[in-house]
Amino acid sequence: MNLSGSLPGARRGGSAAPLVTDYFAAPTDAVAATVVHQEAGPSVLARGSGRPLFDTVRLPAVEPFVMLGRVAEALCARPYAEVTAHPRHGVLVDGADEGPWVVAVSDQLAEALAAAAPDRLLDVARSWATASGGSLPAADRLAPALVALGGLADRARQVRHGLYCWAQLTPWGPPAVGTPAGGPVRTSRPA
């Protein structure tokens, strides 16, 4: 199932609900799906070790459909309609109508993120922020998010894992100020 535009239940009463998005690496769709109902998402701790099971980057409200489609458009220098037509772009791996959800990130975008130097990702962040017409945070807040996502993609590539997004609606309320799309970029790496 390709959702390519919005998560089911992500809009309530005509306005977008706050969204938490954790990007993570997993070897297969089946393994990625195991975190769909974990309260901590892919940051769930391994029993006995106290360390996260999955290499994870939290990019609050950076959804895997339109926003990552625009990143792919800029990073891959290909039209938006083409990059979002990729068979893995926006594919729902698991999740119920009201979430949480696990969604695949296209192999094409994961590879481009992994191969991109931090300077290239900074340029993409600037382009992305400018093209949004003010609907996204400033490039200086998007840049660390893309660099963190690029690092995750590179680590995933090294162990032949795919990239996924765990997304969940949060209770209504104002987003945190001063960070990418409303929250801090957070990373965790399994030991």
Side-chain angles (χ1 to χ4, degrees), residues 9-75:
R11 293 182 97 42
R12 294 182 185 162
S15 62
L19 187 67
V20 173
T21 52
D22 286 353
Y23 288 84
F24 67 104
T28 65
D29 286 359
V31 172
T34 64
V35 303
V36 75
H37 296 295
Q38 295 291 331
E39 188 174 320
S43 295
V44 65
L45 300 179
R47 289 185 189 154
S49 76
R51 297 184 180 175
L53 282 175
F54 297 94
D55 190 354
T56 306
V57 174
R58 174 162 284 179
L59 303 178
V62 177
E63 53 81 22
F65 306 107
V66 175
M67 292 177 82
L68 277 193
R70 294 293 179 200
V71 169
E73 176 183 41
L75 190 56

Side-chain angles (χ1 to χ4, degrees), residues 6 14 25 50 56 68 73 96 110 127 134 145-146 153 187:
S6 65
T56 306
L68 277 193
E73 176 183 41
S127 171
L146 279 186
T187 63

Side-chain angles (χ1 to χ4, degrees), residues 75 112-126 142-144 146-148 150-151 154:
L75 190 56
L113 284 163
D119 287 346
R120 175 70 178 123
L121 294 173
L122 294 173
D123 290 341
V124 168
R126 284 186 206 102
L142 289 172
L146 279 186
V147 170
D154 186 46

Side-chain angles (χ1 to χ4, degrees), residues 64-155:
F65 306 107
V66 175
M67 292 177 82
L68 277 193
R70 294 293 179 200
V71 169
E73 176 183 41
L75 190 56
C76 301
R78 295 173 58 202
Y80 176 80
E82 187 177 316
V83 294
T84 58
H86 187 282
R88 293 279 292 171
H89 181 82
V91 170
L92 180 66
V93 173
D94 198 0
D97 187 45
E98 291 296 316
W101 308 273
V102 173
V103 178
V105 174
S106 77
D107 303 334
Q108 174 188 43
L109 178 55
E111 188 62 35
L113 284 163
D119 287 346
R120 175 70 178 123
L121 294 173
L122 294 173
D123 290 341
V124 168
R126 284 186 206 102
S127 171
W128 187 23
T130 302
S132 74
S135 65
L136 291 174
D140 62 335
R141 290 185 282 163
L142 289 172
L146 279 186
V147 170
L149 189 57
L152 174 65
D154 186 46
R155 293 187 302 276

